[in-house]
């Protein structure tokens, strides 16, 4: 870690395919594009971001625990499909003392009914969705104010 407060940016399954995966829903930005934007924004805010992506639920849980042990300022979490299914992620968020902000490119409430439940959201301190890639920048602004 550096002397700047760190915000972990954790992305879950299928987000590695951003830019090509259903661009009519998720937009044309790649995850690398979003991460580059967040790194620049973090520098302006006096923060550091640690950006990671995995397709595996247990790895997301390990990274949440790591954020806690490392003393992270916050976590921005886009858990992808695990948002709607993972009680284990819910429990991991509740078990750490790091504020977690839920992030989604699209608005799950405007999509299929099975996406309307968010186990992540039940444990998160804030929620940004439906703003495309800007959902991440809005969440980072909120994290800076914590």
């Amino acid at each position: 870690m550096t002397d700047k407060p760190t915000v972990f940016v954790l992305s879950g399954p299928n987000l590695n395919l951003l830019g090509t995966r259903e661009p009519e829903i998720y937009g044309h930005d790649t995850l690398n594009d979003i991460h580059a934007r967040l790194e620049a924004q973090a520098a302006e805010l006096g923060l550091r971001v640690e950006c990671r992506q995995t397709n595996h639920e247990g790895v997301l849980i390990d990274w949440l625990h790591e954020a806690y042990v490392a003393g992270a300022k916050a976590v921005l979490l886009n858990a992808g499909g695990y948002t709607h299914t993972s009680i284990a992620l819910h429990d991991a968020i509740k078990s750490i003392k790091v504020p977690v902000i839920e992030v989604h490119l699209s608005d799950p409430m405007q999509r299929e009914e099975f996406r309307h439940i968010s186990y992540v959201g039940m444990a998160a301190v804030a929620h940004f969705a439906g703003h495309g890639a800007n959902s991440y920048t809005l969440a980072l602004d909120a994290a800076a104010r914590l």
Side-chain angles (χ1 to χ4, degrees):
M1 293 280 170
T2 68
D3 57 343
K4 292 182 179 180
T6 300
V7 175
F8 278 57
V9 180
L10 306 181
S11 298
N14 301 311
L15 291 165
N16 55 306
L17 299 177
L18 286 179
T20 59
R21 176 187 175 219
E22 299 178 276
E24 67 280 3
I25 295 173
Y26 301 109
H28 295 280
D29 288 315
T30 67
L31 193 57
N32 286 338
D33 294 336
I34 293 168
H35 288 172
R37 218 170 293 137
L38 290 174
E39 288 168 2
Q41 179 185 2
E44 291 176 10
L45 294 169
L47 300 171
R48 176 183 171 276
V49 288
E50 176 69 33
C51 299
R52 303 176 182 182
Q53 186 278 329
T54 183
N55 291 316
H56 305 282
E57 181 180 27
V59 174
L60 286 171
I61 292 167
D62 289 342
W63 288 344
L64 287 166
H65 295 172
E66 182 182 338
Y68 171 62
V69 170
K73 179 175 181 65
V75 173
L76 309 186
L77 175 61
N78 183 342
Y82 291 136
T83 298
H84 320 291
T85 62
S86 181
I87 294 168
L89 275 174
H90 170 275
D91 290 351
I93 294 165
K94 297 289 279 187
S95 72
I96 64 173
K97 292 179 173 58
V98 177
V100 174
I101 299 173
E102 181 182 26
V103 179
H104 294 287
L105 296 161
S106 66
D107 182 354
M109 295 306 290
Q110 301 301 314
R111 299 190 56 202
E112 303 93 338
E113 189 170 331
F114 68 85
R115 296 184 194 276
H116 295 182
I117 189 163
S118 172
Y119 292 108
V120 169
M122 290 176 193
V125 299
H127 172 92
F128 292 89
H131 305 283
N134 288 333
S135 293
Y136 282 90
T137 57
L138 293 167
L140 187 57
D141 280 337
R145 291 189 302 271
L146 292 174

